[in-house]
Amino acid sequence: EAQVTQNPRYLITVTGKKLTVTCSQNMNHEYMSWYRQDPGLGLRQIYYSMNVEVTDKGDVPEGYKVSRKEKRNFPLILESPSPNQTSLYFCASSPEYQETQYFGPGTRLLVL
Amino acid sequence: RKEVEQDPGPFNVPEGATVAFNCTYSNSASQSFFWYRQDCRKEPKLLMSVYSSGNEDGRFTAQLNRASQYISLLIRDSKLSDSATYLCVVNSKGNFNKFYFGSGTKLNVKP
């Protein structure tokens, strides 16, 4: 089944404790992206990747890192999480950057 | 100014009604336009792409007005299952290979 998977789906952590949210797609898509969704603000793009080893900042990259060592995986790294990073995070992929995006199920993160 | 703006609603309509949403975008260089549907904080799912000539998919019709920089979504014969939040999405070509999402318009279809 074609899909985007994210892990973990739910995470509670404390300020400053490094964490990684994994994202994987099995559709051989070139474009992958991370978003956060907050009430009243909609989805905001954190980072995106046009292809392996090619990543770039979205609108809200501060406090996040990403890597794209393999085409299928695009992990989101929070080196030192802070409470303002409490949010719902979505990973997405698409065949190319202008095409339909397919979203993962989301990761709910609470930073205490 | 936000890249994409939508009326948050909610739009409360009876079953069978016709409802329309608009979405405005700020970047005249935008190339691709989409409507996504999101149910109760689940992942967004594509409803339809929006083409320059307008397009229809069953009860749903999408229009693009480049001169006024807005896109619209028309839903005819609303069903209870249409209740959701509708997200307008725009992306820009060139240096900005990014997607911009509106904050969504909530639709409640009531019996």
Side-chain angles (χ1 to χ4, degrees):
Chain A
E1 179 189 355
Q3 59 182 350
V4 179
T5 57
Q6 294 179 227
N7 282 292
R9 294 289 312 281
Y10 305 90
L11 180 59
I12 301 174
T13 189
V14 295
T15 298
K17 186 176 181 182
K18 180 180 178 179
L19 66 92
T20 299
V21 183
T22 64
C23 172
S24 184
Q25 51 93 4
N26 62 2
M27 296 171 278
N28 202 36
H29 286 170
E30 293 193 349
Y31 186 94
M32 296 186 74
S33 186
W34 275 103
Y35 297 88
R36 61 178 289 174
Q37 187 173 31
D38 303 289
L41 297 177
L43 277 87
R44 293 178 293 167
Q45 197 166 26
I46 302 170
Y47 270 94
Y48 62 92
S49 170
M50 302 289 285
N51 212 324
V52 174
E53 302 293 0
V54 182
T55 64
D56 210 345
K57 297 177 180 178
D59 280 345
V60 289
E62 295 78 19
Y64 304 95
K65 286 174 59 178
V66 293
S67 68
R68 188 93 181 271
K69 293 186 171 59
E70 305 165 281
K71 198 171 189 177
R72 62 182 293 131
N73 295 324
F74 191 44
L76 179 70
I77 303 155
L78 285 71
E79 294 270 3
S80 182
S82 62
N84 65 11
Q85 292 178 298
T86 292
S87 189
L88 175 58
Y89 291 86
F90 289 106
C91 179
S93 73
S94 65
E96 292 183 16
Y97 74 95
Q98 288 209 55
E99 298 188 27
T100 304
Q101 291 185 91
Y102 299 86
F103 284 81
T107 295
R108 292 185 184 275
L109 173 64
L110 172 62
V111 183
L112 301 173
Chain B
R1 184 185 172 187
K2 287 184 181 179
E3 292 283 341
V4 180
E5 300 209 53
Q6 294 182 251
D7 181 343
F11 285 57
N12 298 308
V13 302
E15 266 186 296
T18 295
V19 61
F21 310 135
N22 279 344
C23 161
T24 58
Y25 60 95
S26 61
N27 188 342
S28 60
S30 295
Q31 295 286 323
S32 301
F33 309 89
F34 308 90
W35 283 102
Y36 280 75
R37 170 193 169 128
Q38 187 176 27
D39 293 286
C40 200
R41 303 281 274 177
K42 292 191 174 180
E43 72 270 26
K45 293 184 179 178
L46 179 72
L47 180 66
M48 57 198 305
S49 302
V50 186
Y51 303 119
S52 296
S53 55
N55 47 300
E56 187 174 309
D57 183 1
R59 298 182 293 109
F60 300 86
T61 300
Q63 298 277 355
L64 168 63
N65 185 319
R66 286 192 182 271
S68 301
Q69 293 181 210
Y70 75 84
I71 66 175
S72 64
L73 177 68
L74 182 77
I75 305 175
R76 289 180 297 278
D77 188 23
S78 299
K79 312 290 185 192
L80 295 176
S81 57
D82 293 334
S83 296
T85 297
Y86 291 84
L87 307 175
C88 168
V89 184
V90 172
N91 89 340
S92 300
K93 201 178 176 182
N95 291 333
F96 304 104
N97 300 313
K98 300 178 183 177
F99 286 90
Y100 296 97
F101 281 71
S103 53
T105 298
K106 188 167 176 54
L107 172 65
N108 296 317
V109 181
K110 303 192 180 296

